[in-house]
């Protein structure tokens, strides 16, 4: 039987890891080597790197420290970007270790696992509320990825892994320094996000929390460090909050952020970007804060669009709109999509009005779109600002939805209907005799 490190450096495993690293692209590490140069680098250096890995002496390089804004816009998240070579080795490690650990992970753990995704967690959360668990214990693990205790984590890894070379390599990856501003800081705790191995290591550690929650027969969902537990009463929620906090802080040495962790109604909280209505059978929706963030993220594109054609702006918008709608395809409160579609078209009309600048130009374009000369000149010289005109009847009539459809702007509502029609068609096809594929158990 092949030893674990031999399986890591095995040719087919490395080919899969290399393909994944190339597909993911990403920024360079501290050696400034881009992903595109990895192949040439390995042709020269891989025999020596492989020899060091098999001998148990390979030493990873420090990771490059990068801070990015958190998705909620509050504060920053610390990333540690490994070199491309270390990303390859971590990916190869991940591919060998993941099947070993994943088999014992909880059914209610959804993050960074094959065949699982955030929308499944959201659907499970809604089911809990439909079943009568109308209170949620919303736990916030304070700076989780920065506070992971190395000794506790390695003890959990060692329960399944005996190859000392693999254990030593994982610990060295945990301890690899953070390089920022020309200075490398030694790391004694934490597993910064940015490398392929960190998500798996976080699941290995927090699987102990999952097992404890299952032992207590709690209804819960976990996606990485996002944990929500669903209960029947506020009082039981307070008890669960206290006992689970004690477990996390004593057994796993993790800190619960008391200011952000609450017992509340599910419709007062969000989970993985979704929230839900208060109905007996709740409906999934996008929280107001999520819509505001979405608009804010698009404003930079509209600012850049003032000197570009609408076709170019729409081409830049569409991948973002498709990705956002694909994630939120499970919502059941759809009026927000109509509002956003109207807002998007108004922003594009606003770009046109700004680009035209002169009244004569504005009148000429409005007449080209079918307005009478009198109405076109009256509209072009009304003295109102671009945003007002973008929402006025003369611009709505001249540049209706059909105009933007022809330029390639597929509305969010149309995308929503298409995605859900495709899903329903696939389900029906799989239920028919001889249907392709099958339903996931």
């Amino acid at each position: 039987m092949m030893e674990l490190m031999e399986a890591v450096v095995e040719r087919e495993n490395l080919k899969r890891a290399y393909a994944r690293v190339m597909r993911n692209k990403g920024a360079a590490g501290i050696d400034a080597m881009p992903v595109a140069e990895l192949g040439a680098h390995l042709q020269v250096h891989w025999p020596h790197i492989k020899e060091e890995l098999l001998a148990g002496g390979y030493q990873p390089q420090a990771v490059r420290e990068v801070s990015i804004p958190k998705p909620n816009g509050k504060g920053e998240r610390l990333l540690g970007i490994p070199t491309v070579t270390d990303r390859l080795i971590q990916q190869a490690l991940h591919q060998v270790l993941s099947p070993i650990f994943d088999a014992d992970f909880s059914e209610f753990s959804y993050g960074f696992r094959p065949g699982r995704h955030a929308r499944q967690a959201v659907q499970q959360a809604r089911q809990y509320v439909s079943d009568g668990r109308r209170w949620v214990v919303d736990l916030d693990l304070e700076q989780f990825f920065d506070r992971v205790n190395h000794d506790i984590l390695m003890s959990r890894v060692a329960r399944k892994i005996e190859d000392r070379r693999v254990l030593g390599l994982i610990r060295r990856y945990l301890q690899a320094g953070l390089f920022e501003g020309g200075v490398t800081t030694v790391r004694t705790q934490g597993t910064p996000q940015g490398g392929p191995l960190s998500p798996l290591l976080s699941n290995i550690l927090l699987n102990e929390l999952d097992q404890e929650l299952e032992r207590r027969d709690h209804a819960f969902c976990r996606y990485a460090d996002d944990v929500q537990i669903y209960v029947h009463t506020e009082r039981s929620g307070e008890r669960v909050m206290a006992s689970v906090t004690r477990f996390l802080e004593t057994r796993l040495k993790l800190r619960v952020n008391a200011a952000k962790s609450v017992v509340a109604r599910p419709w007062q909280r969000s989970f993985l970007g979704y929230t839900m209505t208060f109905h007996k059978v709740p409906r999934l929706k996008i929280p107001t804060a999520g819509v505001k963030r979405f608009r804010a993220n698009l404003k930079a594109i509209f600012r850049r669009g003032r000197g570009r054609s609408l076709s170019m702006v729409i081409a830049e918008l569409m991948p973002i709109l498709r990705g956002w709608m694909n994630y939120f395809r499970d919502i059941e409160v759809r009026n927000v999509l109509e509002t956003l579609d109207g807002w998007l078209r108004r922003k594009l009309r606003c770009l046109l009005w700004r680009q035209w600048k002169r009244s004569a130009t504005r009148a000429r374009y409005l007449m080209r779109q079918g307005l009478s000369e009198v109405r076109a000149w009256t509209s072009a010289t009304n003295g109102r600002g671009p945003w007002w005109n973008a929402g006025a009847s003369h611009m709505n009539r001249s540049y209706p939805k059909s105009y933007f459809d022809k330029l390639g702007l597929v509305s969010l509502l149309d995308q929503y209907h298409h995605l859900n029609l495709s899903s329903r068609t696939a389900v029906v096809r799989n239920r028919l005799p001889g249907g392709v594929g099958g339903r996931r158990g």
Side-chain angles (χ1 to χ4, degrees):
M1 182 177 175
M2 189 183 295
E3 293 286 343
L4 209 58
M5 185 59 84
E6 277 73 14
V8 171
V9 301
E10 187 264 334
R11 181 176 178 82
E12 288 304 312
N13 187 54
L14 282 168
K15 284 173 66 176
R16 287 196 297 125
Y18 177 82
R20 183 65 178 264
V21 170
M22 296 301 290
R23 188 164 62 247
N24 289 347
K25 299 179 181 178
I30 64 169
D31 61 356
M33 185 174 76
V35 173
E37 295 180 11
L38 177 60
H41 176 80
L42 293 176
Q43 286 182 346
V44 176
H45 298 284
W46 178 247
H48 177 64
I49 295 170
K50 179 180 178 180
E51 184 180 324
E52 287 189 318
L53 288 168
L54 291 173
Y58 178 78
Q59 184 62 50
Q61 295 189 66
V63 296
R64 183 166 64 87
E65 184 178 276
V66 177
S67 295
I68 62 169
K70 289 186 177 181
N72 60 11
K74 298 176 181 178
E76 293 188 327
R77 174 170 290 158
L78 178 68
L79 297 183
I81 309 299
T83 64
V84 182
T85 303
D86 280 324
R87 290 213 290 277
L88 173 75
I89 297 169
Q90 285 194 34
Q91 181 61 36
L93 264 174
H94 184 282
Q95 290 168 185
V96 171
L97 296 177
S98 181
I100 297 172
F101 286 96
D102 193 82
D104 292 331
F105 285 164
S106 169
E107 178 186 350
F108 305 104
S109 165
Y110 297 90
F112 309 113
R113 296 181 61 192
R116 289 176 168 262
H117 50 74
R119 288 170 40 233
Q120 293 171 330
V122 171
Q123 291 285 7
Q124 179 62 68
R126 183 182 66 161
Q127 187 60 54
Y128 287 144
V129 180
S130 296
D131 292 342
R133 295 177 174 88
R134 312 279 286 179
W135 290 89
V136 61
V137 180
D138 192 351
L139 286 164
D140 183 274
L141 300 181
E142 186 175 311
Q143 296 179 311
F144 168 73
F145 285 93
D146 299 333
R147 294 186 181 278
V148 169
N149 182 289
H150 290 176
D151 291 334
I152 292 176
L153 172 57
M154 289 306 304
S155 71
R156 274 51 176 180
V157 175
R159 289 174 181 175
K160 286 183 172 287
I161 304 301
E162 296 180 356
D163 192 323
R164 292 186 176 276
R165 296 167 299 176
V166 172
L167 293 173
L169 181 59
I170 293 172
R171 186 176 278 277
R172 287 194 291 276
Y173 272 123
L174 289 171
Q175 294 175 338
L178 279 172
F179 182 85
E180 199 270 330
V183 177
T184 300
T185 305
V186 177
R187 202 163 69 234
T188 57
Q189 64 177 8
T191 169
Q193 299 172 80
L197 207 51
S198 290
L200 175 61
L201 295 178
S202 69
N203 273 337
I204 291 171
L205 182 64
L206 288 175
N207 187 51
E208 189 151 336
L209 169 63
D210 299 341
Q211 292 175 340
E212 180 66 14
L213 295 176
E214 289 180 343
R215 188 184 68 80
R216 299 181 187 186
D217 201 27
H218 286 317
F220 73 96
C221 293
R222 183 177 68 79
Y223 190 96
D225 58 332
D226 285 316
V227 187
Q228 291 200 340
I229 307 166
Y230 295 83
V231 296
H232 291 281
T233 67
E234 184 178 16
R235 186 176 178 183
S236 61
E238 297 292 353
R239 286 198 304 269
V240 170
M241 175 71 79
S243 62
V244 173
T245 297
R246 281 195 302 272
F247 175 84
L248 286 165
E249 294 185 345
T250 57
R251 184 76 67 86
L252 300 182
K253 305 300 180 188
L254 296 171
R255 186 179 299 173
V256 174
N257 189 327
K260 295 182 179 179
S261 299
V262 298
V263 177
R265 296 292 196 178
W267 47 89
Q268 296 171 334
R269 307 296 293 173
S270 63
F271 182 48
L272 303 176
Y274 281 81
T275 188
M276 60 185 80
T277 65
F278 60 84
H279 300 92
K280 186 174 182 180
V281 179
R283 293 183 295 161
L284 295 175
K285 57 185 283 192
I286 306 170
T288 302
V291 175
K292 286 182 179 178
R293 283 197 299 274
F294 179 62
R295 290 190 183 200
N297 291 338
L298 294 181
K299 284 181 179 177
I301 296 176
F302 289 118
R303 280 195 296 270
R304 291 196 297 272
R306 293 181 183 179
R308 302 157 71 197
S309 69
L310 284 192
S311 297
M312 292 176 66
V313 176
I314 290 171
E316 187 175 357
L317 282 172
M318 280 311 301
I320 299 170
L321 301 183
R322 286 195 189 98
W324 191 81
M325 193 65 259
N326 189 59
Y327 183 79
F328 286 109
R329 65 195 297 174
D330 290 335
I331 61 169
E332 295 151 301
V333 180
R334 294 167 293 181
N335 58 348
V336 66
L337 301 181
E338 297 178 49
T339 302
L340 282 171
D341 278 336
W343 177 80
L344 285 164
R345 290 192 290 269
R346 187 171 179 179
K347 291 291 287 186
L348 291 169
R349 294 186 191 105
C350 189
L351 278 180
L352 286 176
W353 194 265
R354 288 180 183 276
Q355 289 173 357
W356 294 337
K357 294 182 181 178
R358 296 161 58 97
S359 297
T361 306
R362 290 167 178 167
R364 186 169 68 252
Y365 276 106
L366 290 173
M367 284 188 283
R368 282 184 187 176
Q369 294 302 114
L371 289 193
S372 68
E373 184 176 359
V374 172
R375 187 176 181 192
W377 274 101
T378 302
S379 301
T381 57
N382 61 32
R384 301 275 192 165
W387 183 246
W388 185 92
N389 277 285
S393 60
H394 54 269
M395 285 295 282
N396 277 279
R397 178 179 169 182
S398 301
Y399 296 91
K401 179 180 180 296
S402 58
Y403 176 84
F404 297 104
D405 289 343
K406 291 175 183 176
L407 290 177
L409 181 70
V410 183
S411 77
L412 294 170
L413 192 59
D414 288 348
Q415 289 183 63
Y416 172 84
H417 289 312
H418 175 73
L419 286 166
N420 284 281
L421 178 62
S422 300
S423 297
R424 287 193 295 271
T425 303
V427 169
V428 171
R429 186 167 58 245
N430 289 342
R431 286 175 177 169
L432 292 173
V436 178
R439 297 182 69 192
R440 191 174 181 278

